[in-house]
Amino acid sequence: MKTNETLSGEPVLHEIAPVYNEDSKILILGSFPSVKSRESGFFYGHPQNRFWKVLAGILEVTVPVTIEEKKEMLLEHRIAVWDVIASCRITGSSDSSIKDVVPNDFEKILSTAKIERICANGATAWKLYEKYVKQSTGMDAVKLPSTSPANAAWSLERLIECWKEYIK
């Protein structure tokens, strides 16, 4: 399947495995991987997305560069990462274009890990979680400001300060 399908094409499948283990306590959810993330095969792959810088700032560690370093940082700090959507029709990376949503099944993560808090990275992820997933998990999600470069109103420092309350 192509990674850059548009709304006129077939639905795009989420092909990035969730990152978690039995010690994970916080689950951070995005909406659906961006084109850059789908191309790189890992979460928050766009170089301008501040996700990795925000987490590194909160955890007081060096910003991870490789996928392996990113996974290590997440698991070492008991953080799980995934997305709400398993497949959808999407134009490029535009959350506002998402249609025909099929949500991911969170049963495996929630039955394996000791998730105490779910955080949504941005309003779209939160809305999608509320609409498609909350009823099956029975857990509320905290809506955090998006780390996307499209959220230019939030500086890196402001994101770290806000996220810190829920992640640390």
Side-chain angles (χ1 to χ4, degrees):
M1 168 156 301
K2 293 179 187 162
T3 57
N4 300 324
E5 292 292 340
T6 64
L7 288 178
S8 61
E10 290 297 309
V12 181
L13 295 177
H14 189 305
E15 297 179 339
I16 304 170
V19 176
Y20 70 99
N21 65 21
E22 61 279 353
D23 296 324
S24 299
K25 294 192 179 302
I26 297 170
L27 173 58
I28 301 173
L29 296 175
S31 54
F32 191 75
S34 69
V35 170
K36 290 288 186 193
S37 295
R38 296 190 305 264
E39 288 172 356
S40 72
F42 203 64
F43 302 96
Y44 305 103
H46 192 290
Q48 299 306 312
N49 192 301
R50 297 163 293 174
F51 181 81
W52 300 110
K53 290 179 182 175
V54 167
L55 283 187
I58 292 167
L59 303 171
E60 300 176 356
V61 298
T62 304
V63 178
V65 177
T66 67
I67 291 173
E68 213 40 58
E69 290 171 347
K70 292 170 182 177
K71 286 179 182 178
E72 277 180 34
M73 181 185 76
L74 292 169
L75 297 176
E76 182 178 317
H77 292 92
R78 299 181 176 180
I79 297 170
V81 172
W82 208 18
D83 291 307
V84 175
I85 301 173
S87 73
C88 65
R89 294 182 195 280
I90 185 170
T91 301
S93 301
S94 172
D95 277 354
S96 63
S97 74
I98 291 172
K99 303 275 188 260
D100 302 330
V101 169
V102 175
N104 273 313
D105 180 358
F106 289 85
E107 175 57 31
K108 186 171 182 191
I109 291 177
L110 296 177
S111 65
T112 302
K114 303 170 181 86
I115 300 299
E116 297 171 358
R117 175 177 295 137
I118 297 175
C119 297
N121 185 355
T124 301
W126 182 80
K127 286 177 196 165
L128 291 164
Y129 177 84
E130 290 287 310
K131 182 174 182 177
Y132 296 103
V133 181
K134 181 179 176 178
Q135 186 175 353
S136 66
T137 66
M139 295 179 72
D140 289 325
V142 175
K143 178 173 49 172
L144 295 175
S146 175
T147 60
S148 166
N151 185 14
W154 283 74
S155 68
L156 177 60
E157 294 74 22
R158 197 169 158 215
L159 285 168
I160 290 170
E161 200 55 41
C162 181
W163 277 58
K164 188 183 293 188
E165 180 179 344
Y166 301 98
I167 303 302
K168 195 139 188 187

